[in-house]
Amino acid sequence: MKLDRKEILKALETISIAGEGKNMVESGAVANVITFGDEVVVDLVLHTPAMHIKKRAEDDIKKTIHDLVSPEAKIKVNIKVEVADKPEIKGKAIPGIKNIIAVASGKGGVGKSTTTANLAVSLARMGFSVGVLDADVYGPSMPIMFDVENEKPISIEVDGKSKMKPIESYEVKILSIGFFTSPSQAVIWRGPMAAKALNQMIFDADWGELDFMLIDLPPGTGDIHLSIMQSLPITGAVVVSTPQAVALADAKKGVSMFLSEAINVPVLGIIENMAYFTPEELPNNKYYIFGQEGAKNLAADLNVPFLGEVPIVQSIREAGDFGRPAAMQEGSLIESVFQEITRNVVQQTVNRNDSLPATEAIKITTMAGCSAVKK
């Protein structure tokens, strides 16, 4: 069997690179196609700095050639990512902060804030310097989860400027709108007011040197998310979901927001929370109350990493309410679960920094930045 180069190019014209309107041949992504009998080598050049693009393009090429040309073809895909050596970082970076991780969810009630708190203390226990920005303006929960409800940030002078000093608990630096309101007070703000408050907590604070800043975003894909991503170059996003279909549908939208052309923030992976329930008296039993491996399957479908699953354990809720994150329970199942997930987050961050340029803070000046409006 001898493969025909023209047939292969014709087949590749049926594929497009995510985020590009043209097919990969017309767009110039296919740099070269070489055939040797039943072997074919496709050289591909990508310009989109997103983690899922490379794997998806390779899989699409192999499947298309097998389906449209020959199922026996031996295919090798060489992928080169061409980006600027020193990409411009728009917006204001925070000096001293190495990685900014946004923790998001498509919908509320999936345990995003609890996951953020446990990731933070796990990172701190691994020796990293960590900060948490509670960007869930309308439902700030970090003061409760870190047992610092009654604390108030003080003002200190840094290089002649007045700065807020974050509250520190369990070796994690924290700022939240909850420190500036009473526990019973509702935050009734329009979007611009909330965005201004967030900018103050980001840029008017003395965060010092941090290996990781975790940003606990509110549920959904709205104004606060855009404000954060316009203000800061986000290293990557972690999406939290429960396994049931309703939560997964919204989690998919959350992933889509970060990977959209207007936002273009790498997704480090998906965490499945409330994955299963194991009764204390039946330690070998697992009951999949909300469905089995829904978030894991979603991660596979979207070609993003699966970071791990968190079971339903009463102590997680109790620990959050008590103000001592459950990942600090030495020798417990929850400690090992969050250690594994946190290691995966760190590894994906390292992979992202090795393979992609720094994320640019987005600049949206027209309605074209809204996914609901056609450009």
Side-chain angles (χ1 to χ4, degrees), residues 36 61 66-67 120 140 148 209 268 300 360 365:
F36 308 93
I61 288 172
H66 283 148
D67 289 349
V148 286
E209 298 286 330
L268 303 178
E360 294 182 354
T365 56

Side-chain angles (χ1 to χ4, degrees), residues 96-101 119-132 168 170-173 207-214:
I97 298 182
K98 296 177 183 176
N99 299 288
I100 302 174
I101 310 297
L119 284 175
V121 296
S122 296
L123 284 167
R125 287 161 72 87
M126 289 177 183
F128 295 105
S129 51
V130 187
V132 172
E168 191 162 338
Y170 310 127
E171 300 183 8
V172 176
K173 295 178 180 179
W207 289 101
E209 298 286 330
L210 295 180
D211 295 311
F212 290 91
M213 172 184 274
L214 303 184

